[in-house]
């Protein structure tokens, strides 16, 4: 599933907003209830793992599998809800007109048990589809929020 939006900031700023943490992240991201880095990592980057609790109170450990500031980021679940066999996401940022950025977010998932997957995955598409649309709308709001922008533009 995919969601996209054009935001009025350049790709490096849009990318930085997407990677905020703590109170700044919670300010714009309606999906994340709580999130922190694991293994002593101080910041996101390829190979870094995070623990996330969603607003649904589901917990997931994910790992950054790609990291290109200003361009794209990709993550995959390494541990999480039993019904996900696979869960991964990618966020891409490309220049748009007038100095803005086109952000495209994609989620890919597969459920288990396989015999129930057709039904469970249809339900997942509805629930995750709603979540990804709400989440990218929150991201767009964050890209226009002076508090969030100040946090990502600090030296």
């Amino acid at each position: 599933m995919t969601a996209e939006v054009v935001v009025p900031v350049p790709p490096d700023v849009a990318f930085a907003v997407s990677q905020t943490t703590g109170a700044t992240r919670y300010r714009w991201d309606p999906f994340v209830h709580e999130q922190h880095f694991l293994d002593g990592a101080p910041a996101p980057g390829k190979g870094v793992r995070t623990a996330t609790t969603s607003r649904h109170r589901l917990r997931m450990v994910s790992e950054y599998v790609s990291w290109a500031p200003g361009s794209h980021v990709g993550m995959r679940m390494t541990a999480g809800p039993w019904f996900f066999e696979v869960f991964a996401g990618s966020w891409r940022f490309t220049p748009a007109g007038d100095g803005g950025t086109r952000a495209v977010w994609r989620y890919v998932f597969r459920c288990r048990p396989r015999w129930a997957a057709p039904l469970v995955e249809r339900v997942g598409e509805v629930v995750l589809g709603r979540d990804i649309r709400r989440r990218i709308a929150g991201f767009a709001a964050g890209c226009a929020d002076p508090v969030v922008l100040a946090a990502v533009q600090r030296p």
Side-chain angles (χ1 to χ4, degrees):
M1 73 193 49
T2 303
E4 65 181 83
V5 68
V6 174
V7 293
V9 296
D12 61 324
V13 174
F15 183 91
V17 168
S18 80
Q19 298 305 302
T20 54
T21 59
T24 304
R25 178 58 164 260
Y26 308 145
R27 186 174 174 92
W28 68 261
D29 193 339
F31 179 78
V32 175
H33 174 71
E34 196 275 329
Q35 185 175 58
H36 61 274
F37 299 116
L38 298 174
D39 311 315
K46 188 172 181 179
V48 170
R49 294 181 331 127
T50 62
T52 302
T53 302
S54 75
R55 68 178 180 87
H56 306 294
R57 301 301 193 260
L58 298 175
R59 297 179 48 94
M60 179 183 296
V61 173
S62 55
E63 177 183 358
Y64 285 88
V65 293
S66 66
W67 175 262
S71 172
H72 64 274
V73 62
M75 299 183 79
R76 69 176 176 90
M77 179 186 77
T78 60
W82 66 269
F83 51 84
F84 281 130
E85 182 178 347
V86 172
F87 187 91
S90 67
W91 297 354
R92 294 201 166 273
F93 306 89
T94 56
D98 297 328
T101 300
R102 178 175 176 250
V104 178
W105 295 7
R106 288 189 171 90
Y107 291 165
V108 175
F109 68 97
R110 189 168 57 237
C111 293
R112 60 179 157 211
R114 290 308 309 156
W115 60 267
L119 175 61
V120 175
E121 288 171 0
R122 280 196 300 273
V123 171
E125 286 180 19
V126 171
V127 172
L128 290 174
R130 184 180 58 230
D131 282 346
I132 196 173
R133 288 187 302 276
R134 285 181 181 163
R135 196 170 192 193
I136 206 164
F139 163 76
C143 286
D145 182 331
V147 173
V148 173
L149 293 175
V152 302
Q153 294 176 339
R154 284 188 198 126

